[in-house]
Structure formats: structure tokens, C-alpha cells
Amino acid sequence: MREELDYCLRDSVRRHLVSDVPFGAFLSGGIDSSLIVGYMAEQLGQPVRTFSIGFDAPEACELRFARQVAEKYRTDHHEQVLTLDAFDVLPELVRHCGEPYGDQSAVATWAVCRLARQHVPMVLSGDGGDELFAGYRKHQAHFLAERYRRLPAPLRRGVIEPLVAALPAFRGTRLKGHVRLAKKMARSGSLPPHERFLADSGYFTAPQKDLLYTPALRERVAGADPYMQHRARFARVADADFLNQMLNL
């Protein structure tokens, strides 16, 4: 299985390298983009041109990982560190997207595209790896939640969930992501898988929406199901195991 996957990925990269224009690669230093750069380095007769974006907040900057990969494969590496004024581009991004866009990585994606375009007109990237290979926290959370549901309900609801809910956010530290995941699990870990996934997909709980909405808006959206498309997709693949249902969605 591993050998077959390796062959498919290498062959895909080889096919994408057929081009009449110079090209490079986005490099975050994560598994997906690093694999792509590794395959490119094997097949090109010249250094791969790689492009990375970092942040001026040390806890959020992962440029050191990209540099390690760039050094290993001896790439022609380019990077840029974003500061707060990079977010001045938001009006332009909104205009380009044309609709609400819920991924906060949009600014970094725009910045790395702008950086790459100064050198090449085409790039390969590792985008899609998490969707294909279950790399997001929500996929990990499913298996953790299934274990969590095996604990006695009084222990979950009477002890663990109130304690986790009371934890501080730990903003600006490495604990932030872990605490956020724990808080989500405390809110939804006892729910059935489908409802847990939907509960974790939104930023606001129902009580928070009630506080946020004006009376007119509350009346206008009464009875609406924002997860209608999600439920329909789950229903289409109901016979699959839940991990594959998530990946299908």
C-alpha cells in the first residue's frame, strides 16, 4: 500500500511538471508540501524554486520547518514575514472572493501567491492533502470523542466538561490549539458523530446566535437549518464508516 501511494504521488508530480513556463512550489514545511518538493527535486535537473510565508509572532511562525526542507533539497528558497499591515488587503480579497469566505489563511495564501508570482507563473502545492488523508484536527477529534463517550456520563457531564469549559484560552501560546480542541470536545463530545461534527463546524452556538441576532433577523431565520447541505451529503454516504463520511463531505 505504501509503495503504491508513493508511486501515485510521484507520478502525479511528474505529470504536473510538463510545462512550457517556469514553475515552483509553495512550501510550508508540513508533510504535504514537503513531499511535493521532495518529488520535484528528484525529477528536476535544477533547484526547485520554493516560496514560504511566516508571521512576526514567533508562536505562529513555522518558517524554520520550511527552511529545513529547503536546505535538505537545496531549493532556490524565497520567504516573506507578514506583519499586521498585511491585513490591509482584506477589501481586495473580499472583492476577489465574491462571497463570504471562512478560511483565515486567505491572507497568507494571497501573500505567498504574490511572492511566487514575482519569480514564476505556476506552482505546485500540497493543498488537498488534509482532505484526502484525514489530516485535520476534526478527524483526530472524532476518534478521541469516541473514546471520550465510553466514559460514564456523570463523570463527563458533572466533572470533566465543567472543568474544561473553565480553562483560559491560552492565546499566544502553543497550548491554544489543544485547549480549543478540548473545549470543543467538552461541548460536543457526548453527541452522536453526525451531530458532533455539525456542532464543531460552526463558530457560534445557538445561545450565542440569539445574543448576536436582532429580533428581526431572529424572526427571519427561524426554523432555517444552516447544515442542510451537510446532512444531505451525510445521507448520501450513510453506509460508509464515519471517517469516510467526513472525508466525502
Side-chain angles (χ1 to χ4, degrees), residues 187 199 202-211:
R187 290 195 300 266
Y203 281 99
F204 297 106
T205 63
Q208 288 172 331
K209 290 177 183 178
D210 283 339
L211 291 172

Side-chain angles (χ1 to χ4, degrees), residues 173-236:
T173 73
R174 294 184 180 276
L175 289 174
K176 176 184 174 182
H178 299 293
V179 171
R180 183 166 170 259
L181 182 61
K183 285 179 177 286
K184 275 193 172 186
M185 190 171 298
R187 290 195 300 266
S188 62
S190 298
L191 297 173
H194 292 93
E195 296 306 315
R196 180 175 66 239
F197 180 89
L198 297 179
D200 290 344
S201 294
Y203 281 99
F204 297 106
T205 63
Q208 288 172 331
K209 290 177 183 178
D210 283 339
L211 291 172
L212 180 65
Y213 293 168
T214 63
L217 179 59
R218 196 177 301 123
E219 180 179 352
R220 183 174 178 180
V221 300
D225 180 11
Y227 301 113
M228 178 177 63
Q229 297 290 344
H230 297 69
R231 296 183 196 280
R233 174 63 68 173
F234 276 137
R236 288 173 57 182

Side-chain angles (χ1 to χ4, degrees), residues 10 48 88 216 226 245:
R10 181 177 280 103
V48 181
D88 292 343
Q245 290 184 38

Side-chain angles (χ1 to χ4, degrees), residues 111-172:
V112 75
C113 287
R114 185 179 66 168
L115 174 64
R117 189 61 185 89
Q118 297 170 16
H119 303 271
V120 294
M122 189 184 85
V123 294
L124 301 187
S125 80
D127 275 4
D130 290 317
E131 286 78 7
L132 287 172
F133 297 104
Y136 287 121
R137 283 198 184 101
K138 61 189 174 188
H139 302 127
Q140 301 170 31
H142 164 62
F143 293 102
L144 293 173
E146 289 300 294
R147 295 178 183 176
Y148 178 66
R149 289 183 70 194
R150 296 181 193 137
L151 297 174
L155 176 62
R156 282 187 276 123
R157 294 170 183 157
V159 180
I160 297 175
E161 292 172 13
L163 285 174
V164 173
L167 287 173
F170 290 100
R171 291 186 177 88

Side-chain angles (χ1 to χ4, degrees), residues 83-93 107 110:
T83 56
L84 281 177
D85 59 4
F87 288 83
D88 292 343
V89 76
L90 281 175
E92 182 181 349
L93 279 179
V107 173
W110 166 83

